[in-house]
């Protein structure tokens, strides 16, 4: 009677190293990409991409005909991020960097690479800082990454003044800005918040600016229920507040 076979694994590191050497290597490559605004040429291997990622399976289609195939143009993904995606597809590991992780995350979402997306999300949370947080918030809102959006908003609530001075804040979309303006936990005075919103409006060519300004001052509860307004956590006491019932949250 034939016995059941046993799967025996060799060392993973030499295998991973060998495959990593094929990333963007012209040797044996049978597909060529032109990537990013800089139009960088990147070489890859169809069978590996197709078996690892449904996006590339659909993109590359059947085997190419005779002759030199035309390059596949991917102009929206930066070359560094695309090479990181290839590294992950070839080796199931990737070296991430703070300055480019959001671009890798964006590519992972667009290409349907759930494992790479989770790896990027974990990395973003670890390196989140004042300079990165608004850019991360924009990515979270764009792709519906709820947990990341919550982490970013909580970070901005704790570091409001610093975050509002960054270029990333000025480049937020209206849909990313509105949750911040609705928050009662921002550590910033109302006057400073208004100035930040005005700066954003000047830079951003804003859509739905009226909706943004509805939220800029003091958030109201349902008036029909007789509830009062309330001040944000960072609002400084002012003389006119004594005429209002405005408890801090």
């Amino acid at each position: 009677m034939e016995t059941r076979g046993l799967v025996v694994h060799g060392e993973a590191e030499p295998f991973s190293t060998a495959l990593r050497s094929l990333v963007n290597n012209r040797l044996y490559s049978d597909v060529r990409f032109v990537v990013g605004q800089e139009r960088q040429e990147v070489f890859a291997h169809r069978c590996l991409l197709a078996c690892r990622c449904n996006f590339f399976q659909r993109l590359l289609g059947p085997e190419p005909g005779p002759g030199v195939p035309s390059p596949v143009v991917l102009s929206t993904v930066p070359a560094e991020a695309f090479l990181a995606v290839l590294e992950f597809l070839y080796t199931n590991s990737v070296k991430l960097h703070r300055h480019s992780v959001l671009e890798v995350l964006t590519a992972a979402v667009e290409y349907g690479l759930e494992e790479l997306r989770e790896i990027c999300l974990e990395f973003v949370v670890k390196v989140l800082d004042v300079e990165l947080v608004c850019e991360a918030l924009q990515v979270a809102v764009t792709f519906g990454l709820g947990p990341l959006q919550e982490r970013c908003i909580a970070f901005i609530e704790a570091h409001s003044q610093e975050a509002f001075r960054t270029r990333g804040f000025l480049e937020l979309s209206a849909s990313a800005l509105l949750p911040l303006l609705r928050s009662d936990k921002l550590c910033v005075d109302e006057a400073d918040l208004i100035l930040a919103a005005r700066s954003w409006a000047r830079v951003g060519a804003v859509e739905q600016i009226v909706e943004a300004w509805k939220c800029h001052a003091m958030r109201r509860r349902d008036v029909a229920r007789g509830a009062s307004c309330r001040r944000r956590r960072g609002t400084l006491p002012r003389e006119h507040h004594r005429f209002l019932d405005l408890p801090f949250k």
Side-chain angles (χ1 to χ4, degrees):
M1 181 176 180
E2 184 178 354
T3 60
R4 174 178 287 182
L6 177 66
V7 176
V8 180
H9 297 279
E11 293 186 22
E13 185 61 29
F15 178 75
S16 178
T17 300
L19 284 176
R20 183 173 284 106
S21 70
L22 293 177
V23 175
N24 196 22
N25 190 334
R26 188 188 293 263
L27 183 65
Y28 306 126
S29 67
D30 54 2
V31 61
R32 183 165 51 101
F33 295 92
V34 174
V35 181
Q37 297 299 316
E38 62 272 38
R39 297 185 61 81
Q40 180 174 329
E41 195 173 51
V42 176
F43 298 94
H45 305 81
R46 303 172 66 92
C47 63
L48 199 152
L49 298 186
C51 74
R52 288 279 284 153
C53 177
N54 289 334
F55 170 85
F56 286 109
Q57 187 179 71
R58 295 190 300 269
L59 178 68
L60 299 177
E63 287 294 321
V68 179
S70 301
V72 179
V73 179
L74 298 173
S75 59
T76 59
V77 56
E80 182 177 357
F82 186 72
L83 288 171
V85 169
L86 291 190
E87 180 184 2
F88 176 78
L89 293 177
Y90 278 63
T91 69
N92 209 42
S93 63
V94 62
K95 185 175 183 179
L96 296 174
H97 302 275
R98 178 192 169 281
H99 69 272
S100 59
V101 63
L102 294 178
E103 294 167 340
V104 180
L105 173 59
T106 297
V109 173
E110 292 179 340
Y111 298 166
L113 299 171
E114 295 185 5
E115 186 177 5
L116 179 58
R117 180 194 65 187
E118 293 304 313
I119 291 172
C120 291
L121 287 172
E122 291 179 10
F123 184 85
V124 170
V125 170
K126 288 180 181 179
V127 301
L128 200 62
D129 60 15
V130 168
E131 293 298 326
L132 186 65
V133 66
C134 288
E135 297 177 28
L137 174 61
Q138 184 61 64
V139 171
V141 170
T142 300
F143 295 106
L145 305 174
L148 178 60
Q149 180 176 339
E150 293 174 3
R151 292 294 293 266
C152 291
I153 290 177
F155 187 97
I156 295 172
E157 288 171 343
H159 305 85
S160 305
Q161 293 191 16
E162 298 93 333
F164 290 166
R165 297 191 190 105
T166 64
R167 182 71 187 179
F169 171 78
L170 297 177
E171 294 176 348
L172 287 174
S173 66
S175 57
L177 179 65
L178 284 173
L180 293 177
L181 297 180
R182 293 191 179 110
S183 172
D184 294 317
K185 298 180 181 179
L186 295 174
C187 290
V188 63
D189 184 53
E190 290 298 320
D192 294 331
L193 180 59
I194 293 172
L195 290 175
R198 290 177 62 186
S199 297
W200 169 83
R202 285 196 299 268
V203 172
V206 197
E207 294 180 4
Q208 299 179 344
I209 186 61
V210 174
E211 292 300 318
W213 278 104
K214 284 181 182 178
C215 304
H216 85 272
M218 295 178 181
R219 180 181 173 190
R220 291 184 176 274
R221 297 173 181 167
D222 190 348
V223 177
R225 298 177 183 174
S228 62
C229 302
R230 60 187 179 190
R231 293 178 290 193
R232 300 183 204 273
R233 186 172 61 177
T235 301
L236 299 176
R238 289 184 168 81
E239 178 63 22
H240 67 269
H241 289 169
R242 64 191 178 90
F243 299 105
L244 304 172
D245 179 19
L246 296 177
F248 283 106
K249 185 175 179 181

